[in-house]
Amino acid sequence: MNRHLFVVTGGSGSRRGEISPLAAFRTTRQGADTARNVKHRRPEKMISAEYCRLMARYNSWQNGSLVTAADGLTNADRWKDRGAFFQSIAATLNHLYWADALMLERLKGNPRPEDNIRHSLTSPSDWDEFKTLRSQRNEEIEDWAAQLRDVELCGMLAWYPGDGSTRIEKPKALCAIELFNHQTHHRGQIHAMLTAAGARPEATDLSMLP
């Protein structure tokens, strides 16, 4: 029967030996099984409910900062086209308000949120009304996070876009992260426009969260 040569190295040098084909097969098979188990191992938890509670608080703080800073501008200044993706401070704030509503409804299990929620860059157009609605949305996000359990961030989330064409399915944890990441992205745009307009929003560092 054919034998397989092996070399063992150690502190006292190395030694040569032989191994049978059966033993060699078992060794190779064990290595393959180990690699397969590592590949298909359940991934570590992406985020926790506590992370969502922290980011919900951060969202409320930062939105309050932007609204307070924008309060010092005229209505015309808030709607002025400043070259941003959604052009103006007010339109970008509106986009964020409606996008928060849609994403939150998906996270709550509504597969067709756009049946009842209509995204608009021009509504609300009244500044005082917007401030009230924005504050309510902040509280809604904090309430959702407060009741969230870690297990509810596991598994997949499915929904349909506005035209109802293709079913979308993504990990729940990823969708929760997207909610907060999307907010941060557009608040950065608003912060830059406010600063250019002479307003002074608060710092954005997460470590400075009150």
Side-chain angles (χ1 to χ4, degrees), residues 79 86 88-101 118-127 129-131 133-134 190:
W79 285 100
F86 293 113
S88 69
I89 292 169
T92 308
L93 284 168
N94 280 343
H95 165 70
L96 200 45
Y97 171 77
W98 291 112
D100 279 355
R118 298 297 179 186
H119 177 278
S120 173
L121 297 177
T122 58
S123 177
S125 57
D126 180 78
W127 180 240
E129 181 187 8
F130 170 81
K131 289 191 292 183
L133 292 173
R134 180 67 263 183
I190 298 166

Side-chain angles (χ1 to χ4, degrees), residues 43-171:
E44 297 297 324
K45 184 170 61 178
M46 191 180 298
I47 58 171
S48 66
E50 188 58 37
Y51 165 85
C52 292
R53 286 188 275 274
L54 173 66
M55 295 307 295
R57 285 178 51 217
Y58 178 74
N59 173 68
S60 294
W61 173 47
Q62 284 298 300
N63 284 332
S65 165
L66 298 183
V67 167
T68 299
D71 243 346
L73 303 179
T74 65
N75 197 51
D77 282 337
R78 286 190 290 267
W79 285 100
K80 179 181 178 181
D81 185 344
R82 299 179 184 276
F85 188 83
F86 293 113
Q87 300 182 329
S88 69
I89 292 169
T92 308
L93 284 168
N94 280 343
H95 165 70
L96 200 45
Y97 171 77
W98 291 112
D100 279 355
L102 290 166
M103 292 186 189
L104 189 59
E105 277 298 298
R106 292 173 195 157
L107 287 165
K108 289 180 176 180
N110 182 353
R112 297 182 183 274
E114 291 179 86
D115 285 354
N116 301 310
I117 299 172
R118 298 297 179 186
H119 177 278
S120 173
L121 297 177
T122 58
S123 177
S125 57
D126 180 78
W127 180 240
D128 288 332
E129 181 187 8
F130 170 81
K131 289 191 292 183
T132 299
L133 292 173
R134 180 67 263 183
S135 180
Q136 292 172 350
R137 182 76 74 232
N138 296 343
E139 292 176 8
E140 186 180 1
I141 293 171
E142 288 207 56
D143 288 345
W144 164 77
Q147 299 173 41
L148 191 64
R149 298 175 299 159
D150 285 349
V151 68
E152 293 174 298
L153 291 168
C154 299
M156 305 297 286
L157 194 66
W159 72 93
Y160 293 86
D163 58 10
S165 57
T166 306
R167 184 174 183 267
I168 301 171
E169 187 173 299
K170 299 291 181 181

Side-chain angles (χ1 to χ4, degrees), residues 187-199:
R187 279 198 304 261
Q189 295 173 330
I190 298 166
H191 194 286
M193 287 188 281
L194 286 169
T195 303

